[in-house]
Structures are given as C-alpha cells and as structure tokens.
Amino acid sequence: MDLARTEVAPRKSRKESATRMGLVALPVAFFAVFFAYPVTAIVARGLKTDGAWRFGRIGEVLAQSDIRHVLWFTTWQALASTALTLLIALPGAYVFARFDFRGKQVLRAVVTVPFVLPTVVVGTAFLALVGRGGLLDQLWGVRLDTTVWAILLAHVFFNYAVVVRTVGGLWSQLDPRQEEAARMLGASRFAAWRKVTLPALSPAVAAAALMVFLFTFTSFGVVQILGGPTFSTLEVEIYRQTSEIFDLATAAVLTIVQFVAVGAILAVHAWTVRRRETALRLVAPEVTVRRPRGAGQWALLGGVLASILVLLVLPLGVLVQRSLDAPGGYGFAYYKALTSADSGIFLVAPIAAIGNSLEYALAATAIAVVIGGLAAAALTRRTGRLVRGFDALLMLPLGVSAVTVGFGFLIALDEPPLDLRSSWILVPLAQALVGVPFVVRTMLPVLRAVDGRLREAAAVLGASPWRVWREVDLPMVRRALLIAAGFAFAVSLGEFGATVFIARPDNPTLPVAVARLLGRAGDLNYGQAMALSTILMVVCAVALLLLERIRTDRTGEF
C-alpha cells in the first residue's frame, strides 16, 4: 500500500506541474510575442547604429534641457495629481464604506464610470468645461485649458474610483469597535482615527496612491488634449518624438526611463498588496455599514455628494451639452453630421467608427478573457517569487508606453510569419494587452477563494484538469468572469495610445476619430468630436451599469 502511494504521489505532482505549465504557456507566449518583442524591437531600432548598441545615447538624451523638463513635469504632475486625488476621494471612500443610503449602488456606478472612460473622452469633457467657449468661459470668462490645473482636475476625475474602491473596500471590512474602544479610553475622534484606523488602512491607501501615480505618470490622452504644446508627459513626448520628429533614439531612451519607473512602482505596489492581504483580520461589510447619524455625518455625506456632482457629473453633463449646442440652436446637427464622409478627415463617415470600435472591442475582450483567465488560474495554483514576477509581468502593459507598443507593432510585425500590419487583428491584439490585467485582477481573488480540496477531490475521482475547471471553478467564478469581460470590453473600447498608430484610415476607432476631429479647426469638427465622445461615454456607462447589477463584494479588485 505504501509503495502504491509513493508511486501515485510523483504521478500526481507531475500532472499538477504539467497543468501549471499548460496554463502559463499561452499567456507567456502572448506577452512575449505581442508585448516584449515589439517593445524590444522599437528600443533596439532607436539605440542601434550599424548593428552596434549606442548606450551613450541615453546620457545624451537625458542631458537635454527640454527632456529634463519633460521628466520633471511628468513626475511633478503625477505627485500633485495623486495627492489631490487622495485629498478629495478619501472622504468618498469613507462614505461608501460606512454609510448606507438610498441610491448607493447607482452612485457607485456613476463614480466608476470616469475610470473606464477613454482618456480622450476625459480630456474632451474637460475641454468642454474649461476650454475655449466652455462653461467656465461662458459664465465667468475663466479658461483653464492652458494651465496645469485642468490636467490635475482631469486626473482626479479619472482616478477618483481607484481610491474609493481600493481604500473603501478595505475600510468597509475594518471592525469599527476597535476605534470605538479607543474613544472610550479617552481618545478624541481624530486621535482614535489616526492611531487605530489609519495604520490599518495604510496598505490600501499606499496601494491606491501607487496606482493613481502609475496612471498619471503614464498619462497620454488627457495631457495630449489639455496640455497643448506647453505641457508634455513622458508618454506624450514619446509620441511626439516618434510620430512628428521621427527621432527613434530619443523615443527609445524615454521608453527605457518609463519602463524602469513603472517596474519600480509595480514592485512597491505588489509589496503593499501583500501587506493588505496578510496584516489584517476583517469582518463582513454588512457589520460596519449603517445609516448616517447626527448632523456631522449627514453633512459629510452631503459634501461628498456635492463633490461627486461637481467633479465627476458636471464635466460629463457639459460634454453632452456641447454636443447638442449646434450653430442653429440645440439639436442633433452634430450627430447627423457624423453620417457624412465629406470632411476629408476619414475615408469613411465618422459614424463608422462606432461599429469598428465595437467589433474590435469584442475581439479584444475574447482574447483578454482567454489569456487573463489562464493566467489567473495559474497564479492560484502556486506561490513564490516566480509567480509574483509573472503577476507583475501581467501588469506591465498598464504602465509601459502604449505609444511604444503601437509603433513597435508596425516595426516588428512586418514580415512573415508575423506580417500583421494589414490585418484587422492587430488592433484587438493591442487592446487585449490592456484588458488582460483587468481580467487577472478581477478573477484572481475569486479563484483564490475557491476551496482547493474541491479540485483535489475531483482530480482523485478521475476528472481531467479541463473538467475540474469546468465542473468546480467555472460555476463559482462565472459572475467574476462576466465582470472581467465587461471591464476588458470597456477598456478595449477606449484604448488610444497604441491604436492611434495601427488603426487604418478606413477603419478608425472612436478614440482615434475623436482625436483627429479635435486636431482640425472649425466648429463642425469640434461638435462632431463632442458627439462621438458622448456616444462613447454612453456605451461605457451602460456597460458599467450592467456590471454593477451583477457585481458581488468578492468579485475582484476593480
């Protein structure tokens, strides 16, 4: 009997190892071919001369005063945006974590809508609010589109949900009785919060701050539209050096700088996430949520609702208003103009971008769900540094220059067996790179919550790994899988940095169409950009509202 057991154990171990390798193989191959290879190709093209590497070019580029100014502004605005977002969003995180009030679920969806909106739409919305002829310009003659304040406020708008969901999710599970005990011992309300609650929240606050810093450090669409020629982040400068100046060496150096910075940010973020997962003993959210009590709590709720209305809802409302404000009076003139291809900007009518975007996003979602689902399943079956490194690899597309990836597609995927430049699949592949991290982050916590003994029991009874997944995991994670697909669809729909290079003129996507319309003078082009942005906003908002209806408290980190 003992001999039989010793024979079965190695066989089982080999089978589990083969299963893990099978799960990892496709995601690793996907990222190697469609992420690492294009990025490496574009960097090599910039730093190689006559077959020899010129690493001295790095020092030459970084010594330029205009490049140092870009680096300084990128870092400064990311720090300022992160601090301002935390200052404004932390009260909202507390309200959503501790208060129960009517319309809370709908408001949570409203708060999250800006996060899944394309950055081009966010920039367009703030342009309609603070730009030439915008609401502030009409009412008080104030224009902020040429100042850094417009960029900072747009970043708060975009990242408010990151803080609310990351910090609020943990805050709702902290036992309030610990803070109440401190107050009974004589501590003031602020002292109890500072000494008891804040230390417990610090891992979540740090994780949220790092994610906000990452998104703002790599900001492209918002700065491209609101910054103009005055302000450039690393991502915007990479785009300018690549598409306007054609200086691939400088673009390659800036890509390396951004890659190193993003790698450091993700390493620190992974450490804070592990602290958040292991340092606390939590309670069910239902235990901590209650109706507001007292004038102070009602005032706090009112203040948070007012800030959401002004910072999040107003820009979107102004976007809709500007799309309807035609020269002949309010109406759908700009929307009707989308059906005409006479503008000379596109080979097709701008309205065709809607169908193109939906088709591309659906294909990208399918790819992201398959790759991300396999990666998440692999990450649940093993721990250690190698797995943490693989997890960090999956997050890199969120921070590495999408402009570099897009241009790298054109440079690297241009000869057999990967000559894809004329293929429609190129756009969904680029979009799927951004969707995969959302799939992994949504599904991973749910998969880790599945009792491993259920999988072992099914395997002992003779089920294959595929049948174990179908019979055990899938029924438990089906809801999370739908949510992951929804997020992948929304972010794919709005991907801009890579798509701007590879979308063909006869098949533009919505974000590319909006950017090109904004780049042309004239009220008609501006109005059409507002109309397309409104359509894109509505599609993303509907997708998110549907996700909120099927969401549970355990369906991931987003």
Side-chain angles (χ1 to χ4, degrees):
M1 180 67 70
D2 292 339
L3 180 60
R5 287 179 180 174
T6 57
E7 291 177 351
V8 170
R11 194 180 306 125
K12 180 180 178 182
S13 177
R14 288 195 297 269
K15 189 175 182 180
E16 290 177 351
S17 298
T19 300
R20 286 196 297 266
M21 290 300 296
L23 292 172
V24 170
L26 187 57
V28 168
F30 177 79
F31 274 83
V33 173
F34 298 113
F35 178 68
Y37 177 49
V39 171
T40 303
I42 192 67
V43 171
R45 180 71 65 92
L47 294 183
K48 268 189 174 182
T49 303
D50 297 328
W53 289 92
R54 291 185 57 208
F55 291 107
R57 180 62 176 156
I58 297 177
E60 296 173 6
V61 171
L62 296 181
Q64 298 175 21
S65 59
D66 56 338
I67 297 299
R68 290 202 304 270
H69 175 74
V70 169
L71 291 171
W72 164 247
F73 177 74
T74 301
T75 305
W76 178 87
Q77 65 82 25
L79 289 171
S81 297
T82 301
L84 191 61
T85 303
L86 290 175
L87 179 66
I88 295 175
L90 281 176
Y94 175 79
V95 165
F96 280 101
R98 296 299 199 198
F99 292 168
D100 182 27
F101 53 91
R102 185 175 299 177
K104 180 178 178 179
Q105 185 177 10
V106 175
L107 191 63
R108 187 189 298 273
V110 170
V111 165
T112 312
V113 165
F115 179 69
V116 299
L117 283 179
T119 55
V120 172
V121 174
V122 175
T124 306
F126 273 82
L127 192 65
L129 178 63
V130 303
R132 173 181 55 85
L135 182 63
L136 297 185
D137 190 13
Q138 293 178 5
L139 294 179
W140 299 293
V142 176
R143 289 179 56 185
L144 299 177
D145 56 330
T146 57
T147 73
V148 73
W149 277 108
I151 296 173
L152 298 182
L153 291 175
H155 284 160
V156 173
F157 171 90
F158 186 76
N159 293 292
Y160 187 95
V162 175
V163 177
V164 168
R165 288 191 174 273
T166 305
V167 180
L170 178 61
W171 211 334
S172 65
Q173 299 178 72
L174 292 181
D175 193 341
R177 290 172 295 186
Q178 298 178 7
E179 187 174 324
E180 293 170 0
R183 295 200 62 198
M184 290 182 63
L185 293 174
S188 65
R189 183 182 297 274
F190 177 74
W193 179 83
R194 180 172 57 85
K195 294 182 179 180
V196 178
T197 303
L198 184 58
L201 283 176
S202 59
V205 173
L210 286 167
M211 289 308 297
V212 173
F213 183 84
L214 173 64
F215 290 138
T216 53
F217 186 84
T218 58
S219 182
F220 177 55
V222 168
V223 180
Q224 175 79 353
I225 292 174
L226 296 176
T230 307
F231 303 109
S232 292
T233 56
L234 271 173
E235 187 83 351
V236 174
E237 189 63 21
I238 291 171
Y239 175 77
R240 192 175 73 90
Q241 296 288 341
T242 302
S243 63
E244 298 177 10
I245 303 177
F246 304 107
D247 186 350
L248 294 185
T250 299
V253 170
L254 297 181
T255 297
I256 293 172
V257 171
Q258 183 163 305
F259 185 84
V260 171
V262 167
I265 294 169
L266 289 177
V268 178
H269 178 264
W271 176 72
T272 61
V273 169
R274 289 198 300 275
R275 282 188 61 201
R276 184 177 58 183
E277 290 178 346
T278 59
L280 299 172
R281 182 173 298 175
L282 307 176
V283 298
E286 293 79 6
V287 177
T288 66
V289 176
R290 62 177 184 270
R291 298 280 294 177
R293 294 180 297 185
Q297 291 188 355
W298 281 107
L300 177 60
L301 176 59
V304 168
L305 293 178
S307 67
I308 291 174
L309 179 64
V310 172
L311 289 174
L312 305 185
V313 178
L314 181 60
L316 299 180
V318 172
L319 178 65
V320 176
Q321 180 264 331
R322 293 300 299 273
S323 73
L324 298 172
D325 188 9
Y330 281 95
F332 294 95
Y334 291 137
Y335 290 87
K336 294 178 182 178
L338 296 175
T339 61
S340 173
D342 297 334
S343 64
I345 301 177
F346 308 103
L347 298 178
V348 295
I351 197 71
I354 299 174
N356 296 334
S357 288
L358 292 176
E359 292 175 2
Y360 288 145
L362 287 172
T365 299
I367 297 170
V369 167
V370 172
I371 300 299
L374 290 174
L379 290 170
T380 60
R381 283 168 166 77
R382 193 173 180 179
T383 58
R385 291 184 179 180
L386 185 61
V387 172
R388 289 198 295 269
F390 177 56
D391 193 9
L393 170 68
L394 298 173
M395 292 290 289
L396 280 178
L398 288 181
V400 172
S401 170
V403 170
T404 300
V405 174
F407 196 61
F409 271 32
L410 296 182
I411 296 295
L413 307 180
D414 64 340
E415 57 185 7
L418 290 173
D419 187 2
L420 301 177
R421 286 186 300 176
S422 60
S423 174
W424 68 272
I425 196 63
L426 204 60
V427 173
L429 286 171
Q431 294 174 341
L433 283 172
V434 183
V436 167
F438 288 88
V439 174
V440 174
R441 298 268 70 81
T442 301
M443 293 190 63
L444 190 56
V446 183
L447 283 170
R448 283 176 173 166
V450 177
D451 193 340
R453 292 172 296 183
L454 297 176
R455 300 189 185 102
E456 294 173 359
V460 169
L461 293 174
S464 65
W466 164 245
R467 188 173 181 182
V468 170
W469 161 256
R470 189 178 73 247
E471 301 291 343
V472 177
D473 291 72
L474 184 58
M476 296 186 180
V477 303
R478 185 180 291 113
R479 189 183 295 267
L481 186 62
L482 291 174
I483 293 174
F487 269 112
F489 176 80
V491 298
S492 298
L493 197 65
E495 203 288 322
F496 175 63
T499 309
V500 70
F501 280 98
I502 56 181
R504 291 158 49 182
D506 58 339
N507 286 295
T509 63
L510 276 170
V512 172
V514 170
R516 289 179 181 171
L517 286 167
L518 286 175
R520 293 293 188 95
D523 291 336
L524 178 61
N525 292 327
Y526 183 80
Q528 287 180 300
M530 295 295 168
L532 276 180
S533 296
T534 301
I535 293 172
L536 188 51
M537 176 195 71
V538 170
V539 173
C540 290
V542 169
L544 192 66
L545 288 171
L546 291 176
L547 292 182
E548 284 297 324
R549 291 186 64 87
I550 62 175
R551 173 180 289 278
T552 65
D553 290 334
R554 299 177 63 188
T555 49
E557 299 176 19
F558 288 98

